[in-house]
Amino acid sequence: MDKFGVGIIGCGAVAQEYIKAFEKDERSQVRALVSRNRANAQRYRDMYGLDCTIETDAAAMLAGKDIDIVVVCTSHDQHTKYAVAAAQAGKHVIIEKPVALTPEDLRKQQEAVKKAGVKTLVSFVLHWNPLLMTIDRLIAEGVFGHIFMVEVDYMHRIWMTTEQKWYASRLQSGTAILTGGCHAIDALRWFARSEAEQVCAYQVKTENPIEYPGTISVNVKFENGTIGRSTTTFDARMPYRFNIGVYGTEGSLRNNELFAPKLFPGQSSFLKIPCILPDSPDVAHHPFEHEVAHFLDCIIEDKRPYPDLDDAAQTHAVCFAADLSAESGRPVTIRELNNVL
């Protein structure tokens, strides 16, 4: 069969992982790279021996009939511009997180995608991490009984350096929870098996030179009664951690340590699940190949990708509500969010 043609907008570190993933899958081929700095695109074309065009303007690539899928992995503030343009050009779209920095921009993307009828996937790539997939299966099989509390933390030292300068800008990067903590909020929703109802958050600004507070602590009340907690910090001097806690009436989990007497009668202490952990922020360690394969499967089989833009909008709503709560000093309901922002 003909391969799906892929165009990638933005040629930073994440783009390299998409190149490897799409080139490895025999159903797809990278046919265009778009970067404001032509040398960045040229580097990747040479490194991977790609038979592709190089553009500094996305419009030329989007006009190409040989492009079926567009990956948007620019700076965060540019996602809406290119995601909307890709949808209007009739291309299926993968959007790096956060998909948008404001609810208004998020709605623009949703409207464009709905009108065009194209498929989307938001790159919460940890959906294909073995530990998180194992936790999902344990929940589905009822191992924990009634889950009443979930916890997920994103702890990643991002202390501004010259190389990370754009991360320091609220206009380009967003906030701590949007820039990185949205991974934790996405997993929090996933494991709670419910949508958020109310959010209460507190934040702190340290000596970190980034423009926004680098640490935010979030409490979430879900519609099904489950409560959730999540901390994002860029400030703590410590190795990267993506902490996970699932607490139920019949069992509990802390990261890769499981206590599940329903599975192991007589169990008296936690046992370790031997699998790959989300223990590195390096994008090269993330399972992009599985993400890409899932998206291609969904296009071919005409299925809804997960998480798509509409699902990711629910994660972003929690992030927006958390930032608003932290700034206003009061709880924020998801229902009132649209009226407040």
Side-chain angles (χ1 to χ4, degrees):
M1 70 174 185
D2 292 337
K3 294 187 177 185
F4 288 96
V6 179
I8 298 175
I9 305 176
C11 290
V14 176
Q16 183 175 7
E17 302 311 312
Y18 283 112
I19 291 170
K20 291 190 288 188
F22 276 112
E23 285 295 293
K24 186 172 183 179
D25 197 305
E26 61 183 12
R27 299 171 295 177
S28 57
Q29 180 184 31
V30 176
R31 293 176 179 162
L33 297 176
V34 179
S35 177
R36 289 177 297 180
N37 185 340
R38 188 179 181 87
N40 289 341
Q42 183 69 56
R43 178 187 63 197
Y44 283 146
R45 185 172 72 173
D46 295 345
M47 184 182 298
Y48 294 101
L50 302 176
D51 181 14
C52 72
T53 61
I54 291 177
E55 306 287 351
T56 55
D57 183 354
M61 180 270 287
L62 293 174
K65 294 182 178 180
D66 62 337
I67 300 297
D68 307 291
I69 298 168
V70 169
V71 182
V72 179
C73 46
T74 60
S75 61
H76 303 163
D77 59 315
Q78 298 296 307
H79 287 180
T80 297
K81 171 184 176 181
Y82 292 118
V84 168
Q88 291 174 340
K91 316 299 185 184
H92 302 297
V93 195
I94 295 178
I95 312 163
E96 266 299 312
K97 40 58 58 184
V99 295
L101 300 183
T102 66
E104 293 78 12
D105 275 357
L106 184 53
R107 292 189 200 103
K108 288 179 184 177
Q109 294 187 38
Q110 288 180 288
E111 290 168 2
V113 164
K114 183 177 181 180
K115 184 175 181 180
V118 296
K119 296 190 185 299
T120 60
L121 184 67
V122 175
S123 188
F124 288 120
V125 70
L126 292 180
H127 275 266
W128 293 274
N129 173 269
L131 177 61
L132 276 74
M133 293 173 71
T134 298
I135 295 171
D136 175 60
R137 181 170 179 176
L138 291 170
I139 294 172
E141 293 178 355
V143 168
F144 301 109
H146 169 214
I147 296 173
F148 54 87
M149 183 170 68
V150 290
E151 301 176 319
V152 188
D153 297 324
Y154 183 91
M155 297 180 164
H156 179 196
R157 173 79 160 191
I158 300 180
W159 198 275
M160 191 191 75
T161 64
T162 302
E163 293 76 17
Q164 294 173 320
K165 190 172 182 179
W166 78 272
Y167 269 123
S169 168
R170 184 159 189 163
L171 290 176
Q172 283 188 289
S173 184
T175 60
I177 198 170
L178 284 169
T179 295
C182 58
H183 277 299
I185 299 300
D186 173 73
L188 202 71
R189 289 183 50 243
W190 183 12
F191 298 148
R193 295 296 204 264
S194 180
E195 296 304 346
E197 181 176 279
Q198 182 172 281
V199 178
C200 183
Y202 297 93
Q203 63 188 8
V204 61
K205 183 77 174 74
T206 69
E207 297 84 354
N208 194 336
I210 57 179
E211 293 178 359
Y212 46 84
T215 298
I216 184 168
S217 179
V218 182
N219 286 296
V220 181
K221 179 184 177 184
F222 290 95
E223 292 174 353
N224 65 358
T226 298
I227 59 174
R229 184 204 60 76
S230 179
T231 295
T232 296
T233 183
F234 293 170
D235 302 318
R237 189 164 188 174
M238 60 178 285
Y240 174 84
R241 288 291 184 271
F242 193 85
N243 295 320
I244 302 171
V246 178
Y247 304 95
T249 55
E250 300 296 329
S252 297
L253 174 138
R254 289 284 294 171
N255 296 323
N256 65 329
E257 293 190 323
L258 174 68
F259 186 76
K262 289 181 70 172
L263 287 181
F264 308 103
Q267 183 180 359
S268 60
S269 62
F270 282 95
L271 62 83
K272 286 193 175 182
I273 302 171
C275 66
I276 298 172
L277 308 180
D279 59 358
S280 172
D282 189 341
V283 294
H285 294 168
H286 293 172
F288 283 90
E289 290 179 13
H290 302 295
E291 176 188 333
V292 162
H294 170 70
F295 196 47
L296 293 172
D297 288 342
C298 289
I299 294 172
I300 293 169
E301 299 169 19
D302 194 24
K303 298 189 302 185
R304 178 183 176 181
Y306 184 81
D308 65 1
L309 184 58
D310 285 340
D311 182 81
Q314 300 300 318
T315 292
H316 284 66
V318 177
C319 297
F320 294 139
D323 281 330
L324 180 59
S325 174
E327 291 168 3
S328 66
R330 64 175 184 85
V332 174
T333 66
I334 300 301
R335 179 175 294 180
E336 72 174 290
L337 180 66
N338 292 337
N339 297 326
V340 175
L341 292 173

